[in-house]
């Protein structure tokens, strides 16, 4: 039988539902008590093409660290009570993470037949990964400079292979690579705690951090690279020097101390992904109100209003992994309306 999404796209949700229900009842002539309208709505939601993403509720291996650990080449991780820890061989946790990734890639390929356009591929960046993954002794990879280099190299190779696989499955895609680095500021400031919790790991030299990120950028040299951090004091200047195309951040955490770095980033051609829409279920304001702070920032920096639509993308503040599907749809639609408001009325 043809795919549900294809049938729904051609006939419409309700006729497709009625057709499938009729086929099912013909094959199973038993009495049923059904609520067709509710089921039709459910089928329509399920049939709507939606690219797969991380779904942490599935368990270890679907979370952001486990998902990225499954991409590593010649490095393997397993789940311990304290978190993800590197091991000698691929165990069930690594296999589970890779299995879910394959399933999601299969779904992506099915729902994007004939698609041409941008497609975001997301992974945890090398420094947040180094702060979260443990060595065999229970301390973070961040505690060992050599282990950090090995991890970054493994991640770079894993991402290279993953991006090639996504491109093979969706040949019309223009891939945008996003690296999530919520721990980057803590790594630079020496604020990542040791296993005991009583001390912190030494701050990593900014040039070392920049070099590792530049090596990751080289993996996707032909396409845009966005680094996301929902922590305060995002290092805009460092990311710009590392070759990042865009920086994604929680707009509510900006202070006037960030003005100079943001102005330099915009003038240098770095795109800003301004997180102005809440990432978890809540009431949403009117779209124009959501981007009022962006307009205020632009005036304060003295930048040309005409640059605003070209330099800023409106996004949720910190992903939608914790949102309900219904709210996620509303939030993304709200982002689109807010962006349109920004383009139509930049001043």
């Amino acid at each position: 039988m043809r795919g549900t999404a294809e049938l729904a796209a051609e006939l419409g949700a309700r006729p497709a539902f009625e057709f499938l229900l009729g086929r099912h009842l013909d094959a199973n002539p038993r009495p049923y008590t059904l609520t067709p309208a509710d089921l039709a709505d459910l089928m329509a939601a399920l049939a709507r093409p939606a690219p797969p993403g991380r779904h942490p509720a599935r368990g270890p291996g679907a979370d952001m660290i486990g998902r990225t650990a499954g991409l590593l080449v010649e490095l393997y991780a397993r789940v311990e009570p304290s978190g993800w820890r590197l091991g000698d061989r691929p165990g069930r946790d690594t296999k589970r993470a890779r299995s879910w990734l394959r399933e999601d890639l299969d779904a992506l390929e099915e729902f994007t037949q004939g698609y041409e356009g941008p497609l975001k591929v997301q992974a945890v960046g090398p420094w947040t990964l180094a702060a979260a993954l443990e060595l065999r002794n229970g301390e973070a990879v961040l505690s060992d400079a050599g282990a950090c280099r090995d991890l970054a190299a493994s991640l770079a190779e894993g991402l290279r292979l993953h991006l090639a696989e996504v491109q093979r499955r969706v040949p019309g895609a223009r891939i945008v690579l996003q690296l999530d680095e919520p721990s980057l500021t803590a790594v630079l400031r020496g604020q990542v705690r040791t296993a005991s919790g009583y001390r912190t790991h030494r701050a990593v030299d900014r040039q070392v951090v920049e070099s590792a990120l530049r090596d990751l950028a080289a993996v996707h040299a032909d396409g845009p690279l966005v680094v996301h951090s929902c922590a305060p004091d995002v290092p805009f200047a460092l990311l710009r020097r590392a070759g990042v195309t865009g920086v994604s951040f929680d707009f509510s955490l900006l202070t006037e101390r960030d003005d100079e770095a943001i102005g330099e980033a915009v003038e240098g051609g770095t795109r800003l992904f301004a997180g102005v829409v809440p990432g978890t279920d809540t009431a949403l304001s009117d779209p124009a109100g959501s981007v009022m702070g962006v307009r205020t920032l632009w005036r304060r920096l003295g930048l040309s209003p005409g640059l605003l639509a070209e330099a800023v993308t409106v996004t949720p503040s910190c992903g939608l992994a914790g949102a309900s599907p219904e709210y996620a749809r509303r939030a993304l639609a709200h982002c689109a309306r807010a962006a349109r408001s920004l383009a139509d009325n930049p001043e």
Side-chain angles (χ1 to χ4, degrees):
M1 184 177 289
R2 297 157 61 193
T4 300
E6 182 183 349
L7 197 64
E10 180 177 330
L11 302 178
R14 187 172 298 279
F17 165 77
E18 291 170 350
F19 170 77
L20 292 171
L21 178 60
R23 290 289 298 273
H24 180 70
L25 292 176
D26 288 343
N28 300 274
R30 293 182 295 155
Y32 282 87
T33 302
L34 299 170
T35 53
D38 293 343
L39 289 177
D41 291 341
L42 175 60
M43 194 207 75
L46 292 174
R48 188 178 298 116
R54 290 194 299 251
H55 301 290
R58 288 192 291 190
D63 58 296
M64 60 185 288
I65 299 301
R67 181 79 149 184
T68 303
L71 295 175
L72 297 175
V73 174
E74 296 183 359
L75 287 179
Y76 313 105
R78 65 178 185 271
V79 178
E80 297 288 343
S82 54
W84 284 89
R85 181 175 297 180
L86 293 177
D88 297 322
R89 60 184 63 85
R92 64 180 181 181
D93 298 317
T94 297
K95 293 176 181 176
R96 183 192 303 118
R98 291 178 176 176
S99 174
W100 276 333
L101 180 59
R102 284 193 299 271
E103 290 177 13
D104 289 345
L105 287 174
D106 290 342
L108 177 68
E109 184 176 10
E110 178 184 352
F111 284 115
T112 54
Q113 293 293 319
Y115 173 75
E116 294 183 359
L119 177 65
K120 185 177 77 169
V121 174
Q122 199 166 339
V124 176
W127 295 107
T128 295
L129 198 60
L133 279 180
E134 299 175 356
L135 296 168
R136 293 171 182 80
N137 63 5
E139 287 295 348
V141 171
L142 193 64
S143 65
D144 185 321
C148 286
R149 287 192 295 271
D150 291 343
L151 181 65
S154 175
L155 177 60
E157 179 62 12
L159 278 174
R160 185 186 67 78
L161 296 172
H162 181 54
L163 292 173
E165 176 69 4
V166 173
Q167 193 71 75
R168 182 187 68 80
R169 288 172 178 260
V170 192
R174 298 192 302 274
I175 296 177
V176 178
L177 175 60
Q178 176 175 311
L179 296 179
D180 293 331
E181 283 283 15
S183 299
L184 183 57
T185 301
V187 167
L188 290 166
R189 292 182 172 180
Q191 295 174 338
V192 178
R193 293 200 169 275
T194 59
S196 68
Y198 295 116
R199 297 184 298 110
T200 57
H201 293 291
R202 183 180 303 176
V204 180
D205 184 89
R206 297 181 78 87
Q207 291 185 342
V208 174
V209 171
E210 183 181 323
S211 176
L213 289 170
R214 188 179 297 109
D215 290 343
L216 264 294
V219 170
H220 193 47
D222 296 333
L225 169 65
V226 177
V227 171
H228 169 74
S229 175
C230 49
D233 300 317
V234 176
F236 289 94
L238 182 151
L239 294 172
R240 181 170 54 85
R241 292 194 303 269
V244 167
T245 311
V247 180
S248 172
F249 55 94
D250 184 340
F251 190 85
S252 69
L253 299 178
L254 288 184
T255 68
E256 292 191 12
R257 294 195 309 271
D258 299 306
D259 282 6
E260 183 177 352
I262 290 175
E264 290 176 353
V266 172
E267 291 175 348
T270 303
R271 191 168 187 89
L272 304 181
F273 290 74
V276 299
V277 177
T280 53
D281 293 44
T282 188
L284 295 172
S285 65
D286 89 281
S290 295
V291 291
M292 187 178 301
V294 178
R295 293 190 182 94
T296 301
L297 171 67
W298 224 247
R299 287 194 294 269
R300 194 166 70 232
L301 294 176
L303 295 170
S304 167
L307 274 176
L308 195 51
E310 298 176 12
V312 175
T313 298
V314 178
T315 72
S317 58
C318 197
L320 293 166
S324 67
E326 192 276 333
Y327 176 78
R329 287 191 289 271
R330 285 198 296 118
L332 292 175
H334 189 88
C335 286
R337 289 193 293 269
R340 194 174 301 115
S341 167
L342 208 55
D344 293 344
N345 183 20
E347 298 188 72

